[in-house]
Amino acid sequence: MNVIKAIFLTAMLLLTSSRSYAERWVVMTLEWPPFTCSRCPENGAAAKALKDTLNKAGISVEFVFHPWTQTQKNAEQPDVVGYFPSWKDVLPGFTRSEALFKSPLGFIQQRSKPLVWAKLPDLKGKKLGITDGYSNTAEFNRLVKEKVLTVESVLSDDTNVRRVALGQIDGALMDINNARYLILKTHPQYAGRVSVNQRILEDKDLFFAFNTHNRDKAAKLKKALEKVNYQRMVDDYLLKYLLRVD
């Protein structure tokens, strides 16, 4: 019986590995663990959820990783479907999908000097880090433009974690799940110096951004999403790999 079972399982694995798909999507993305990550199991929580969703619809997905600004630029190519994930404000000419999942946006801070605030203007006088190319929130951007808030922009979230740890800035605006991953997994040496501020600025919806050549594919993703709970798929991944911290 064990031999028969082994043969059956082998056959099923071969069948799964040789499955052909009717369509193939090339998607530009970035190193944004735990959601999209070339080093993470199955490319991260959001990437796995997208692959699983589209695979069920007969579509294979290939992720290409670049820094964020390059990801957006390369996503304009005709042989690329678009970029993922994106906040609500996609680039001009791109069409966003319906919201796929949510993740909180907030601040990281020095453990020894936590940020105390009830509303954003309370952070006046603090030096805050942001990541180049991120949309953040309308109120935050307005206060930066009005010079109520002082910000310094860098190319990566990773850099902001390091700068907070070294005391070069007072805090940084980041996706909270991304911040926790970087502090606990990528830079555990900073865990004693950097913490996540308990006040959440906003729960941000995450989307897929389709370029002008492939905006018709948005309907295919929408149909595929009807058969899954995308948020639950993301949350289950975070729980499985112990990436969620309360």
Side-chain angles (χ1 to χ4, degrees):
M1 184 62 70
N2 288 337
V3 173
I4 295 175
K5 184 178 180 180
I7 293 173
F8 174 77
L9 290 174
T10 302
M12 289 299 294
L13 287 171
L14 290 173
L15 181 63
T16 302
S17 64
S18 62
R19 178 182 177 182
S20 60
Y21 294 94
E23 193 171 335
R24 173 175 167 268
W25 289 13
V26 176
V27 177
M28 292 294 161
T29 190
L30 76 162
E31 296 286 355
W32 199 47
F35 300 118
T36 53
C37 171
S38 60
R39 306 177 306 278
C40 297
E42 301 183 83
N43 288 150
K48 182 182 186 306
L50 185 68
K51 277 188 176 181
D52 289 350
T53 299
L54 291 174
N55 284 174
K56 292 176 182 178
I59 302 169
S60 67
V61 181
E62 177 187 344
F63 291 105
V64 181
F65 290 84
H66 290 292
W68 180 232
T69 53
Q70 188 178 349
T71 288
Q72 293 176 304
K73 182 178 180 180
N74 290 348
E76 298 174 350
Q77 301 170 19
D79 58 343
V80 173
V81 175
Y83 65 90
F84 169 81
S86 171
W87 286 334
K88 185 176 181 179
D89 299 323
V90 299
L91 286 180
F94 283 78
T95 301
R96 71 172 183 263
S97 67
E98 60 183 85
L100 301 179
F101 67 103
K102 293 178 179 289
S103 189
L105 184 71
F107 294 95
I108 59 171
Q109 60 195 2
Q110 299 175 37
R111 280 191 180 275
S112 60
K113 299 178 182 179
L115 299 173
V116 179
W117 65 288
K119 52 188 183 300
L120 282 175
D122 295 338
L123 296 173
K124 183 177 181 178
K126 300 294 184 182
K127 188 184 295 184
L128 304 172
I130 59 173
T131 303
D132 192 30
Y134 287 10
S135 60
N136 302 316
T137 70
E139 183 188 12
F140 183 88
N141 293 337
R142 175 179 61 81
L143 292 173
V144 170
K145 186 177 181 179
E146 294 173 356
K147 298 184 179 180
V148 174
L149 297 180
T150 302
V151 300
E152 294 185 4
S153 182
V154 296
L155 294 177
S156 72
D157 297 302
D158 192 87
T159 300
N160 273 328
V161 171
R162 178 179 57 80
R163 297 195 72 211
V164 171
L166 297 178
Q168 297 172 350
I169 53 178
D170 298 298
L173 183 61
M174 294 179 63
D175 175 271
I176 296 304
N177 283 304
N178 175 239
R180 287 169 172 161
Y181 182 96
L182 292 177
I183 294 169
L184 296 174
K185 301 288 185 177
T186 306
H187 296 297
Q189 70 273 26
Y190 296 148
R193 302 182 187 179
V194 182
S195 65
V196 173
N197 188 269
Q198 293 301 306
R199 186 174 293 278
I200 298 300
L201 181 58
E202 182 177 299
D203 279 316
K204 299 283 281 187
D205 286 321
L206 280 298
F207 304 81
F208 188 107
F210 294 89
N211 62 28
T212 56
H213 309 283
N214 293 280
R215 61 180 55 177
D216 60 308
K217 288 183 170 60
K220 294 183 178 181
L221 177 56
K222 182 177 181 180
K223 185 176 181 180
L225 289 170
E226 294 174 356
K227 301 178 180 179
V228 303
N229 185 323
Y230 203 102
Q231 184 72 57
R232 183 177 298 167
M233 295 165 76
V234 170
D235 291 343
D236 286 347
Y237 180 103
L238 299 181
L239 289 171
K240 179 179 179 181
Y241 292 104
L242 304 177
L243 299 177
R244 175 178 292 176
V245 181
D246 296 327

